[in-house]
Amino acid sequence: MPYPVEQNEKFAAYAHPERLVSTGWLAAAIESGAVANGELVVVESDEDVLLYETGHIPGAVKIDWHTDLNDDVTRDYVDGAAFADLAASKGISRDSTVVIYGDKSNWWAAYALWVFELFGHQDIRLLDGGRDKWIAEGRELTREKPAPAKGDYPVVERNDAPIRAFKEDVLAHLGKPLIDVRSPEEYTGQRTHMPAYPEEGALRGGHIPTAASIPWARAAADDGTYRSRAELEALYLGEAGLAAGDDVVAYCRIGERSSHTWFALKYLLGFDSVRNYDGSWTEWGNAVRAPIVKGAERGSVPVAVGA
Amino acid sequence: MTTQALPTALAAIVDDFQAMSEPERLQLLLEFSEGLPELPDRLKDHPELLEQVVECQSPLFLTIETEKDGGPAGTVRLFFKAPAEAPTTRGFAGVLHEGLDGLSAEEILSVPDDMPELLGLTRAITPLRMRGMTAMLGRIKRKVAAASGVRS
């Protein structure tokens, strides 16, 4: 049974208001017992693997993007059987309404949400503003780990094609819109990793030809919530030059920051066809003969590509 | 590599980690993150005296000081700063602080570079995150070597 959707003026302007919840709404839902009785499952997903343990939203379970969602051998996500086990162990059933939140304006939460969608989970929502907003508002945190009743989750094979792009897909996509959500230094090729972040190894710097540079954080307000529909339109329709109906691919370094942008394009602005290229720069910047543009200009599609 | 090669305090920490299950190890790392001492005021007011270890996923700053009157070799003191929102990074710093603070330069330089792997956290935390701790240890050893004139 889907849990009722939040109604408010900000969300109503978005293409899919049912994909977001506010901190106030979640606090009220917890108060009403919806989390305790399993009507609503709250999931925390952070960059730091121990952050949940320092205190989390009451009733929330933890899913770690690295140890839970990534396959530990192949560079890929877990398969249907592993996902079903994971979901069930967290008290999630196939028809559960799941609210995800996390640190850093929901980077990792959006990434986890995107992985849930690879498995076609229907009702999954983001907590607008994430962990930081919840804490900034002085809301309750606990260290008590819930022991949810096992969920009922079938083995569903991932369906990557609608929302996930591989390198070959991106090569075939060249000429259609791409959004690069990394920092300006990464886009121009001045550096190959995030400022003050570990070097994860890319042999070349720069961006995919024709990609527009819209760093992910520009979609977020100071309190970590998504910007209003009008602001997002100014950013992606105005500055990036997207048009309604476009087929869009977003990328970053490993696909986490671009999940945040993917969410904004797909659910807040309503683009039907948006894919996240999770191979991102750690694949493209190492791939032999992948075309690259350096500097601040978007560049043009190389003639030889695909020939 | 065995813990016998490690300084006593660090060997004891490694033994504690190794005796535990994976979830308990994470809990212990959390305790180390909470036990990391605050910076003394003289460093708090002078962030420029600390160096950032950029290999860590979250901002971590550290510095060392050598106490000249602490015996013939000098005693090395370690100072770390990492935000509360980065408990894993703080936990690594806490382990290195408890295991190495107050030792001599020679003792610190004798710690094997791959010591973090002995904690048995690699699977629970992932190799990517463990890299931050290895980088932290490497930075400490380089600074100690430079300060003491001993080659690592």
mmCIF file with all atom_site columns, all heavy atoms in Angstrom, chain A residues 99-118:
data_model
loop_
_atom_site.group_PDB
_atom_site.id
_atom_site.type_symbol
_atom_site.label_atom_id
_atom_site.label_alt_id
_atom_site.label_comp_id
_atom_site.label_asym_id
_atom_site.label_entity_id
_atom_site.label_seq_id
_atom_site.pdbx_PDB_ins_code
_atom_site.Cartn_x
_atom_site.Cartn_y
_atom_site.Cartn_z
_atom_site.occupancy
_atom_site.B_iso_or_equiv
_atom_site.pdbx_formal_charge
_atom_site.auth_seq_id
_atom_site.auth_comp_id
_atom_site.auth_asym_id
_atom_site.auth_atom_id
_atom_site.pdbx_PDB_model_num
ATOM 1   N N   . VAL A 1 99  ? 11.537 5.970  2.012   1.00 0.00 ? 99  VAL A N   1
ATOM 2   C CA  . VAL A 1 99  ? 12.064 7.336  2.011   1.00 0.00 ? 99  VAL A CA  1
ATOM 3   C C   . VAL A 1 99  ? 13.563 7.244  2.271   1.00 0.00 ? 99  VAL A C   1
ATOM 4   O O   . VAL A 1 99  ? 13.982 6.640  3.259   1.00 0.00 ? 99  VAL A O   1
ATOM 5   C CB  . VAL A 1 99  ? 11.397 8.204  3.103   1.00 0.00 ? 99  VAL A CB  1
ATOM 6   C CG1 . VAL A 1 99  ? 12.101 9.562  3.221   1.00 0.00 ? 99  VAL A CG1 1
ATOM 7   C CG2 . VAL A 1 99  ? 9.916  8.398  2.804   1.00 0.00 ? 99  VAL A CG2 1
ATOM 8   N N   . ILE A 1 100 ? 14.350 7.821  1.371   1.00 0.00 ? 100 ILE A N   1
ATOM 9   C CA  . ILE A 1 100 ? 15.802 7.757  1.536   1.00 0.00 ? 100 ILE A CA  1
ATOM 10  C C   . ILE A 1 100 ? 16.351 9.146  1.847   1.00 0.00 ? 100 ILE A C   1
ATOM 11  O O   . ILE A 1 100 ? 15.890 10.146 1.290   1.00 0.00 ? 100 ILE A O   1
ATOM 12  C CB  . ILE A 1 100 ? 16.496 7.228  0.254   1.00 0.00 ? 100 ILE A CB  1
ATOM 13  C CG1 . ILE A 1 100 ? 15.897 5.877  -0.151  1.00 0.00 ? 100 ILE A CG1 1
ATOM 14  C CG2 . ILE A 1 100 ? 17.990 7.066  0.472   1.00 0.00 ? 100 ILE A CG2 1
ATOM 15  C CD1 . ILE A 1 100 ? 16.741 5.098  -1.137  1.00 0.00 ? 100 ILE A CD1 1
ATOM 16  N N   . TYR A 1 101 ? 17.321 9.186  2.730   1.00 0.00 ? 101 TYR A N   1
ATOM 17  C CA  . TYR A 1 101 ? 17.998 10.450 3.019   1.00 0.00 ? 101 TYR A CA  1
ATOM 18  C C   . TYR A 1 101 ? 19.461 10.145 3.297   1.00 0.00 ? 101 TYR A C   1
ATOM 19  O O   . TYR A 1 101 ? 19.849 9.005  3.555   1.00 0.00 ? 101 TYR A O   1
ATOM 20  C CB  . TYR A 1 101 ? 17.372 11.155 4.226   1.00 0.00 ? 101 TYR A CB  1
ATOM 21  C CG  . TYR A 1 101 ? 17.705 10.503 5.548   1.00 0.00 ? 101 TYR A CG  1
ATOM 22  C CD1 . TYR A 1 101 ? 18.742 10.993 6.349   1.00 0.00 ? 101 TYR A CD1 1
ATOM 23  C CD2 . TYR A 1 101 ? 17.016 9.381  5.990   1.00 0.00 ? 101 TYR A CD2 1
ATOM 24  C CE1 . TYR A 1 101 ? 19.080 10.385 7.556   1.00 0.00 ? 101 TYR A CE1 1
ATOM 25  C CE2 . TYR A 1 101 ? 17.340 8.768  7.181   1.00 0.00 ? 101 TYR A CE2 1
ATOM 26  C CZ  . TYR A 1 101 ? 18.367 9.274  7.967   1.00 0.00 ? 101 TYR A CZ  1
ATOM 27  O OH  . TYR A 1 101 ? 18.707 8.666  9.147   1.00 0.00 ? 101 TYR A OH  1
ATOM 28  N N   . GLY A 1 102 ? 20.291 11.212 3.253   1.00 0.00 ? 102 GLY A N   1
ATOM 29  C CA  . GLY A 1 102 ? 21.695 11.006 3.562   1.00 0.00 ? 102 GLY A CA  1
ATOM 30  C C   . GLY A 1 102 ? 22.437 12.309 3.739   1.00 0.00 ? 102 GLY A C   1
ATOM 31  O O   . GLY A 1 102 ? 21.821 13.384 3.794   1.00 0.00 ? 102 GLY A O   1
ATOM 32  N N   . ASP A 1 103 ? 23.762 12.201 3.819   1.00 0.00 ? 103 ASP A N   1
ATOM 33  C CA  . ASP A 1 103 ? 24.600 13.388 4.036   1.00 0.00 ? 103 ASP A CA  1
ATOM 34  C C   . ASP A 1 103 ? 24.856 14.102 2.706   1.00 0.00 ? 103 ASP A C   1
ATOM 35  O O   . ASP A 1 103 ? 24.384 13.667 1.650   1.00 0.00 ? 103 ASP A O   1
ATOM 36  C CB  . ASP A 1 103 ? 25.913 12.990 4.737   1.00 0.00 ? 103 ASP A CB  1
ATOM 37  C CG  . ASP A 1 103 ? 26.730 11.962 3.950   1.00 0.00 ? 103 ASP A CG  1
ATOM 38  O OD1 . ASP A 1 103 ? 26.249 11.450 2.931   1.00 0.00 ? 103 ASP A OD1 1
ATOM 39  O OD2 . ASP A 1 103 ? 27.875 11.668 4.364   1.00 0.00 ? 103 ASP A OD2 1
ATOM 40  N N   . LYS A 1 104 ? 25.572 15.188 2.770   1.00 0.00 ? 104 LYS A N   1
ATOM 41  C CA  . LYS A 1 104 ? 26.003 15.926 1.581   1.00 0.00 ? 104 LYS A CA  1
ATOM 42  C C   . LYS A 1 104 ? 24.856 16.225 0.611   1.00 0.00 ? 104 LYS A C   1
ATOM 43  O O   . LYS A 1 104 ? 24.942 15.882 -0.580  1.00 0.00 ? 104 LYS A O   1
ATOM 44  C CB  . LYS A 1 104 ? 27.097 15.154 0.861   1.00 0.00 ? 104 LYS A CB  1
ATOM 45  C CG  . LYS A 1 104 ? 28.179 14.659 1.806   1.00 0.00 ? 104 LYS A CG  1
ATOM 46  C CD  . LYS A 1 104 ? 29.537 14.900 1.293   1.00 0.00 ? 104 LYS A CD  1
ATOM 47  C CE  . LYS A 1 104 ? 30.507 14.849 2.452   1.00 0.00 ? 104 LYS A CE  1
ATOM 48  N NZ  . LYS A 1 104 ? 31.884 14.846 2.077   1.00 0.00 ? 104 LYS A NZ  1
ATOM 49  N N   . SER A 1 105 ? 23.796 16.814 1.098   1.00 0.00 ? 105 SER A N   1
ATOM 50  C CA  . SER A 1 105 ? 22.624 17.138 0.257   1.00 0.00 ? 105 SER A CA  1
ATOM 51  C C   . SER A 1 105 ? 22.116 15.925 -0.510  1.00 0.00 ? 105 SER A C   1
ATOM 52  O O   . SER A 1 105 ? 21.680 16.046 -1.652  1.00 0.00 ? 105 SER A O   1
ATOM 53  C CB  . SER A 1 105 ? 22.937 18.246 -0.751  1.00 0.00 ? 105 SER A CB  1
ATOM 54  O OG  . SER A 1 105 ? 23.424 19.375 -0.114  1.00 0.00 ? 105 SER A OG  1
ATOM 55  N N   . ASN A 1 106 ? 22.202 14.764 0.096   1.00 0.00 ? 106 ASN A N   1
ATOM 56  C CA  . ASN A 1 106 ? 21.603 13.557 -0.499  1.00 0.00 ? 106 ASN A CA  1
ATOM 57  C C   . ASN A 1 106 ? 22.315 12.985 -1.718  1.00 0.00 ? 106 ASN A C   1
ATOM 58  O O   . ASN A 1 106 ? 21.715 12.251 -2.496  1.00 0.00 ? 106 ASN A O   1
ATOM 59  C CB  . ASN A 1 106 ? 20.139 13.818 -0.919  1.00 0.00 ? 106 ASN A CB  1
ATOM 60  C CG  . ASN A 1 106 ? 19.185 13.791 0.240   1.00 0.00 ? 106 ASN A CG  1
ATOM 61  O OD1 . ASN A 1 106 ? 19.426 13.124 1.236   1.00 0.00 ? 106 ASN A OD1 1
ATOM 62  N ND2 . ASN A 1 106 ? 18.093 14.532 0.118   1.00 0.00 ? 106 ASN A ND2 1
ATOM 63  N N   . TRP A 1 107 ? 23.601 13.275 -1.910  1.00 0.00 ? 107 TRP A N   1
ATOM 64  C CA  . TRP A 1 107 ? 24.335 12.632 -3.019  1.00 0.00 ? 107 TRP A CA  1
ATOM 65  C C   . TRP A 1 107 ? 24.113 11.147 -3.042  1.00 0.00 ? 107 TRP A C   1
ATOM 66  O O   . TRP A 1 107 ? 23.812 10.538 -4.035  1.00 0.00 ? 107 TRP A O   1
ATOM 67  C CB  . TRP A 1 107 ? 25.830 12.665 -2.778  1.00 0.00 ? 107 TRP A CB  1
ATOM 68  C CG  . TRP A 1 107 ? 26.581 13.836 -3.053  1.00 0.00 ? 107 TRP A CG  1
ATOM 69  C CD1 . TRP A 1 107 ? 26.143 15.085 -3.325  1.00 0.00 ? 107 TRP A CD1 1
ATOM 70  C CD2 . TRP A 1 107 ? 28.002 13.871 -3.054  1.00 0.00 ? 107 TRP A CD2 1
ATOM 71  N NE1 . TRP A 1 107 ? 27.227 15.888 -3.480  1.00 0.00 ? 107 TRP A NE1 1
ATOM 72  C CE2 . TRP A 1 107 ? 28.358 15.190 -3.315  1.00 0.00 ? 107 TRP A CE2 1
ATOM 73  C CE3 . TRP A 1 107 ? 28.989 12.904 -2.854  1.00 0.00 ? 107 TRP A CE3 1
ATOM 74  C CZ2 . TRP A 1 107 ? 29.697 15.580 -3.388  1.00 0.00 ? 107 TRP A CZ2 1
ATOM 75  C CZ3 . TRP A 1 107 ? 30.285 13.288 -2.918  1.00 0.00 ? 107 TRP A CZ3 1
ATOM 76  C CH2 . TRP A 1 107 ? 30.647 14.624 -3.181  1.00 0.00 ? 107 TRP A CH2 1
ATOM 77  N N   . TRP A 1 108 ? 24.479 10.566 -1.887  1.00 0.00 ? 108 TRP A N   1
ATOM 78  C CA  . TRP A 1 108 ? 24.502 9.100  -1.808  1.00 0.00 ? 108 TRP A CA  1
ATOM 79  C C   . TRP A 1 108 ? 23.111 8.556  -1.691  1.00 0.00 ? 108 TRP A C   1
ATOM 80  O O   . TRP A 1 108 ? 22.828 7.448  -2.145  1.00 0.00 ? 108 TRP A O   1
ATOM 81  C CB  . TRP A 1 108 ? 25.406 8.650  -0.651  1.00 0.00 ? 108 TRP A CB  1
ATOM 82  C CG  . TRP A 1 108 ? 26.746 9.268  -0.802  1.00 0.00 ? 108 TRP A CG  1
ATOM 83  C CD1 . TRP A 1 108 ? 27.181 10.423 -0.225  1.00 0.00 ? 108 TRP A CD1 1
ATOM 84  C CD2 . TRP A 1 108 ? 27.803 8.835  -1.675  1.00 0.00 ? 108 TRP A CD2 1
ATOM 85  N NE1 . TRP A 1 108 ? 28.437 10.709 -0.679  1.00 0.00 ? 108 TRP A NE1 1
ATOM 86  C CE2 . TRP A 1 108 ? 28.845 9.759  -1.554  1.00 0.00 ? 108 TRP A CE2 1
ATOM 87  C CE3 . TRP A 1 108 ? 27.948 7.741  -2.532  1.00 0.00 ? 108 TRP A CE3 1
ATOM 88  C CZ2 . TRP A 1 108 ? 30.040 9.642  -2.259  1.00 0.00 ? 108 TRP A CZ2 1
ATOM 89  C CZ3 . TRP A 1 108 ? 29.132 7.605  -3.234  1.00 0.00 ? 108 TRP A CZ3 1
ATOM 90  C CH2 . TRP A 1 108 ? 30.158 8.553  -3.094  1.00 0.00 ? 108 TRP A CH2 1
ATOM 91  N N   . ALA A 1 109 ? 22.227 9.333  -1.119  1.00 0.00 ? 109 ALA A N   1
ATOM 92  C CA  . ALA A 1 109 ? 20.825 8.919  -1.034  1.00 0.00 ? 109 ALA A CA  1
ATOM 93  C C   . ALA A 1 109 ? 20.226 8.868  -2.440  1.00 0.00 ? 109 ALA A C   1
ATOM 94  O O   . ALA A 1 109 ? 19.509 7.927  -2.794  1.00 0.00 ? 109 ALA A O   1
ATOM 95  C CB  . ALA A 1 109 ? 20.049 9.891  -0.144  1.00 0.00 ? 109 ALA A CB  1
ATOM 96  N N   . ALA A 1 110 ? 20.537 9.876  -3.263  1.00 0.00 ? 110 ALA A N   1
ATOM 97  C CA  . ALA A 1 110 ? 20.021 9.883  -4.631  1.00 0.00 ? 110 ALA A CA  1
ATOM 98  C C   . ALA A 1 110 ? 20.607 8.714  -5.423  1.00 0.00 ? 110 ALA A C   1
ATOM 99  O O   . ALA A 1 110 ? 19.942 8.110  -6.263  1.00 0.00 ? 110 ALA A O   1
ATOM 100 C CB  . ALA A 1 110 ? 20.344 11.213 -5.320  1.00 0.00 ? 110 ALA A CB  1
ATOM 101 N N   . TYR A 1 111 ? 21.846 8.412  -5.116  1.00 0.00 ? 111 TYR A N   1
ATOM 102 C CA  . TYR A 1 111 ? 22.516 7.286  -5.781  1.00 0.00 ? 111 TYR A CA  1
ATOM 103 C C   . TYR A 1 111 ? 21.829 5.968  -5.390  1.00 0.00 ? 111 TYR A C   1
ATOM 104 O O   . TYR A 1 111 ? 21.530 5.125  -6.243  1.00 0.00 ? 111 TYR A O   1
ATOM 105 C CB  . TYR A 1 111 ? 23.966 7.302  -5.332  1.00 0.00 ? 111 TYR A CB  1
ATOM 106 C CG  . TYR A 1 111 ? 24.929 6.348  -5.990  1.00 0.00 ? 111 TYR A CG  1
ATOM 107 C CD1 . TYR A 1 111 ? 25.171 6.394  -7.358  1.00 0.00 ? 111 TYR A CD1 1
ATOM 108 C CD2 . TYR A 1 111 ? 25.647 5.432  -5.222  1.00 0.00 ? 111 TYR A CD2 1
ATOM 109 C CE1 . TYR A 1 111 ? 26.103 5.551  -7.935  1.00 0.00 ? 111 TYR A CE1 1
ATOM 110 C CE2 . TYR A 1 111 ? 26.591 4.594  -5.791  1.00 0.00 ? 111 TYR A CE2 1
ATOM 111 C CZ  . TYR A 1 111 ? 26.813 4.648  -7.149  1.00 0.00 ? 111 TYR A CZ  1
ATOM 112 O OH  . TYR A 1 111 ? 27.737 3.815  -7.709  1.00 0.00 ? 111 TYR A OH  1
ATOM 113 N N   . ALA A 1 112 ? 21.536 5.811  -4.105  1.00 0.00 ? 112 ALA A N   1
ATOM 114 C CA  . ALA A 1 112 ? 20.849 4.600  -3.649  1.00 0.00 ? 112 ALA A CA  1
ATOM 115 C C   . ALA A 1 112 ? 19.458 4.523  -4.268  1.00 0.00 ? 112 ALA A C   1
ATOM 116 O O   . ALA A 1 112 ? 19.012 3.457  -4.709  1.00 0.00 ? 112 ALA A O   1
ATOM 117 C CB  . ALA A 1 112 ? 20.758 4.587  -2.119  1.00 0.00 ? 112 ALA A CB  1
ATOM 118 N N   . LEU A 1 113 ? 18.782 5.675  -4.335  1.00 0.00 ? 113 LEU A N   1
ATOM 119 C CA  . LEU A 1 113 ? 17.441 5.711  -4.934  1.00 0.00 ? 113 LEU A CA  1
ATOM 120 C C   . LEU A 1 113 ? 17.500 5.256  -6.388  1.00 0.00 ? 113 LEU A C   1
ATOM 121 O O   . LEU A 1 113 ? 16.668 4.473  -6.852  1.00 0.00 ? 113 LEU A O   1
ATOM 122 C CB  . LEU A 1 113 ? 16.877 7.137  -4.835  1.00 0.00 ? 113 LEU A CB  1
ATOM 123 C CG  . LEU A 1 113 ? 15.462 7.356  -5.377  1.00 0.00 ? 113 LEU A CG  1
ATOM 124 C CD1 . LEU A 1 113 ? 14.725 8.401  -4.532  1.00 0.00 ? 113 LEU A CD1 1
ATOM 125 C CD2 . LEU A 1 113 ? 15.450 7.812  -6.827  1.00 0.00 ? 113 LEU A CD2 1
ATOM 126 N N   . TRP A 1 114 ? 18.529 5.729  -7.091  1.00 0.00 ? 114 TRP A N   1
ATOM 127 C CA  . TRP A 1 114 ? 18.694 5.356  -8.499  1.00 0.00 ? 114 TRP A CA  1
ATOM 128 C C   . TRP A 1 114 ? 18.913 3.838  -8.628  1.00 0.00 ? 114 TRP A C   1
ATOM 129 O O   . TRP A 1 114 ? 18.355 3.184  -9.516  1.00 0.00 ? 114 TRP A O   1
ATOM 130 C CB  . TRP A 1 114 ? 19.866 6.165  -9.080  1.00 0.00 ? 114 TRP A CB  1
ATOM 131 C CG  . TRP A 1 114 ? 20.226 5.850  -10.486 1.00 0.00 ? 114 TRP A CG  1
ATOM 132 C CD1 . TRP A 1 114 ? 19.554 6.234  -11.616 1.00 0.00 ? 114 TRP A CD1 1
ATOM 133 C CD2 . TRP A 1 114 ? 21.361 5.088  -10.919 1.00 0.00 ? 114 TRP A CD2 1
ATOM 134 N NE1 . TRP A 1 114 ? 20.210 5.750  -12.725 1.00 0.00 ? 114 TRP A NE1 1
ATOM 135 C CE2 . TRP A 1 114 ? 21.315 5.053  -12.331 1.00 0.00 ? 114 TRP A CE2 1
ATOM 136 C CE3 . TRP A 1 114 ? 22.408 4.440  -10.263 1.00 0.00 ? 114 TRP A CE3 1
ATOM 137 C CZ2 . TRP A 1 114 ? 22.280 4.390  -13.089 1.00 0.00 ? 114 TRP A CZ2 1
ATOM 138 C CZ3 . TRP A 1 114 ? 23.364 3.784  -11.008 1.00 0.00 ? 114 TRP A CZ3 1
ATOM 139 C CH2 . TRP A 1 114 ? 23.293 3.758  -12.408 1.00 0.00 ? 114 TRP A CH2 1
ATOM 140 N N   . VAL A 1 115 ? 19.713 3.273  -7.722  1.00 0.00 ? 115 VAL A N   1
ATOM 141 C CA  . VAL A 1 115 ? 19.931 1.817  -7.769  1.00 0.00 ? 115 VAL A CA  1
ATOM 142 C C   . VAL A 1 115 ? 18.617 1.066  -7.480  1.00 0.00 ? 115 VAL A C   1
ATOM 143 O O   . VAL A 1 115 ? 18.298 0.086  -8.151  1.00 0.00 ? 115 VAL A O   1
ATOM 144 C CB  . VAL A 1 115 ? 21.048 1.375  -6.793  1.00 0.00 ? 115 VAL A CB  1
ATOM 145 C CG1 . VAL A 1 115 ? 21.158 -0.146 -6.745  1.00 0.00 ? 115 VAL A CG1 1
ATOM 146 C CG2 . VAL A 1 115 ? 22.392 1.989  -7.200  1.00 0.00 ? 115 VAL A CG2 1
ATOM 147 N N   . PHE A 1 116 ? 17.819 1.565  -6.527  1.00 0.00 ? 116 PHE A N   1
ATOM 148 C CA  . PHE A 1 116 ? 16.500 0.949  -6.280  1.00 0.00 ? 116 PHE A CA  1
ATOM 149 C C   . PHE A 1 116 ? 15.664 0.961  -7.565  1.00 0.00 ? 116 PHE A C   1
ATOM 150 O O   . PHE A 1 116 ? 14.925 0.036  -7.849  1.00 0.00 ? 116 PHE A O   1
ATOM 151 C CB  . PHE A 1 116 ? 15.743 1.704  -5.178  1.00 0.00 ? 116 PHE A CB  1
ATOM 152 C CG  . PHE A 1 116 ? 15.962 1.137  -3.801  1.00 0.00 ? 116 PHE A CG  1
ATOM 153 C CD1 . PHE A 1 116 ? 17.179 1.290  -3.148  1.00 0.00 ? 116 PHE A CD1 1
ATOM 154 C CD2 . PHE A 1 116 ? 14.950 0.448  -3.138  1.00 0.00 ? 116 PHE A CD2 1
ATOM 155 C CE1 . PHE A 1 116 ? 17.385 0.767  -1.868  1.00 0.00 ? 116 PHE A CE1 1
ATOM 156 C CE2 . PHE A 1 116 ? 15.146 -0.085 -1.864  1.00 0.00 ? 116 PHE A CE2 1
ATOM 157 C CZ  . PHE A 1 116 ? 16.358 0.074  -1.239  1.00 0.00 ? 116 PHE A CZ  1
ATOM 158 N N   . GLU A 1 117 ? 15.811 2.029  -8.330  1.00 0.00 ? 117 GLU A N   1
ATOM 159 C CA  . GLU A 1 117 ? 15.015 2.121  -9.568  1.00 0.00 ? 117 GLU A CA  1
ATOM 160 C C   . GLU A 1 117 ? 15.530 1.184  -10.655 1.00 0.00 ? 117 GLU A C   1
ATOM 161 O O   . GLU A 1 117 ? 14.758 0.795  -11.533 1.00 0.00 ? 117 GLU A O   1
ATOM 162 C CB  . GLU A 1 117 ? 15.000 3.555  -10.071 1.00 0.00 ? 117 GLU A CB  1
ATOM 163 C CG  . GLU A 1 117 ? 14.221 4.418  -9.121  1.00 0.00 ? 117 GLU A CG  1
ATOM 164 C CD  . GLU A 1 117 ? 13.344 5.430  -9.816  1.00 0.00 ? 117 GLU A CD  1
ATOM 165 O OE1 . GLU A 1 117 ? 13.318 5.485  -11.049 1.00 0.00 ? 117 GLU A OE1 1
ATOM 166 O OE2 . GLU A 1 117 ? 12.706 6.175  -9.084  1.00 0.00 ? 117 GLU A OE2 1
ATOM 167 N N   . LEU A 1 118 ? 16.801 0.833  -10.603 1.00 0.00 ? 118 LEU A N   1
ATOM 168 C CA  . LEU A 1 118 ? 17.297 -0.159 -11.567 1.00 0.00 ? 118 LEU A CA  1
ATOM 169 C C   . LEU A 1 118 ? 16.534 -1.470 -11.384 1.00 0.00 ? 118 LEU A C   1
ATOM 170 O O   . LEU A 1 118 ? 16.367 -2.242 -12.327 1.00 0.00 ? 118 LEU A O   1
ATOM 171 C CB  . LEU A 1 118 ? 18.795 -0.414 -11.379 1.00 0.00 ? 118 LEU A CB  1
ATOM 172 C CG  . LEU A 1 118 ? 19.761 0.731  -11.701 1.00 0.00 ? 118 LEU A CG  1
ATOM 173 C CD1 . LEU A 1 118 ? 21.184 0.337  -11.308 1.00 0.00 ? 118 LEU A CD1 1
ATOM 174 C CD2 . LEU A 1 118 ? 19.710 1.101  -13.178 1.00 0.00 ? 118 LEU A CD2 1
#
